[in-house]
Amino acid sequence: MASVTVTDPARDYLAQLIEKQDVEGMGVRIFVTQPGTRNAETCLAYCPPNEIVPTDEQVDLEKFTLYLDHNSTPFLEDAYVDYSKDQMGGQLTIKAPNAKVPAVDENAPLPDRVNYILASEINPNLAAHGGDVSLVEVVDGSVAVLRFGGGCQGCSAVSLTLKQGVEATLKEQVPEITAVRDVTDHTYTENAYYQ
């Protein structure tokens, strides 16, 4: 069973939304669209009794039942749902670090572990600038060869991002990686975040 945390404020907020639907036995389904891809999105949807899928995992949250989509389960491991009030009312936050790449352990092949860190920790930060980075290959047993895309390609701050962000994170999270190499053609600057 996947480990999904729903905080008390999120439970209360979702229970209020469900109550407004006025459907007996209404629950909430959590699922990942396009799981295991860079376009993966974690979603919540109402789940009326007639839409319950027998293979879904059911989690009793006292005020309602949370249904974990069976096909999404490996990608929902360590997912976190929270609600925080703010001046505009509030915000429901869903974090699923394994949505784009399912969790790997320390025995997984080196490229898989690098890809996991890129997908779960590095690319979400680069996405704020419309950028991303992908693993091309691992050479000499310990050098990650990377290619930047989107807003990172041609960006004037990419060397700082590479050394202080990407390389530092990879070396910390995947100790076998001793260096990174960028093979991106940075002469193309049309989409660069910083020109």
Side-chain angles (χ1 to χ4, degrees), residues 1-13:
M1 180 151 149
S3 168
V4 176
T5 301
V6 181
T7 65
D8 288 340
R11 289 179 193 198
D12 294 343
Y13 176 71

Side-chain angles (χ1 to χ4, degrees), residues 50 87 99 104 112 132 142 152 154 159 168:
N50 64 329
Q87 296 175 4
V104 296
D112 290 354
D132 64 81
S142 65
C152 292
S159 61

Side-chain angles (χ1 to χ4, degrees), residues 50-157:
N50 64 329
E51 292 182 12
I52 295 171
V53 178
T55 57
D56 286 351
E57 293 182 19
Q58 297 183 22
V59 180
D60 182 6
L61 297 179
E62 296 179 21
K63 298 180 178 185
F64 62 91
T65 301
L66 179 68
Y67 298 94
L68 280 61
D69 174 68
H70 176 74
N71 294 331
S72 299
T73 301
F75 303 95
L76 291 171
E77 188 66 38
D78 299 324
Y80 181 81
V81 182
D82 189 24
Y83 178 78
S84 56
K85 292 184 178 180
D86 60 26
Q87 296 175 4
M88 302 301 287
Q91 180 169 333
L92 187 67
T93 303
I94 308 167
K95 294 183 180 178
N98 301 306
K100 295 181 186 322
V101 180
V104 296
D105 65 22
E106 65 274 359
N107 298 318
L110 186 57
D112 290 354
R113 290 183 283 139
V114 170
N115 279 323
Y116 176 75
I117 298 302
L118 291 176
S120 65
E121 294 188 28
I122 295 171
N123 279 331
N125 294 323
L126 297 178
H129 294 180
D132 64 81
V133 63
S134 59
L135 178 67
V136 175
E137 63 182 330
V138 175
V139 297
D140 301 328
S142 65
V143 178
V145 178
L146 305 173
R147 178 170 287 119
F148 285 89
C152 292
Q153 183 176 9
C155 179
S156 62

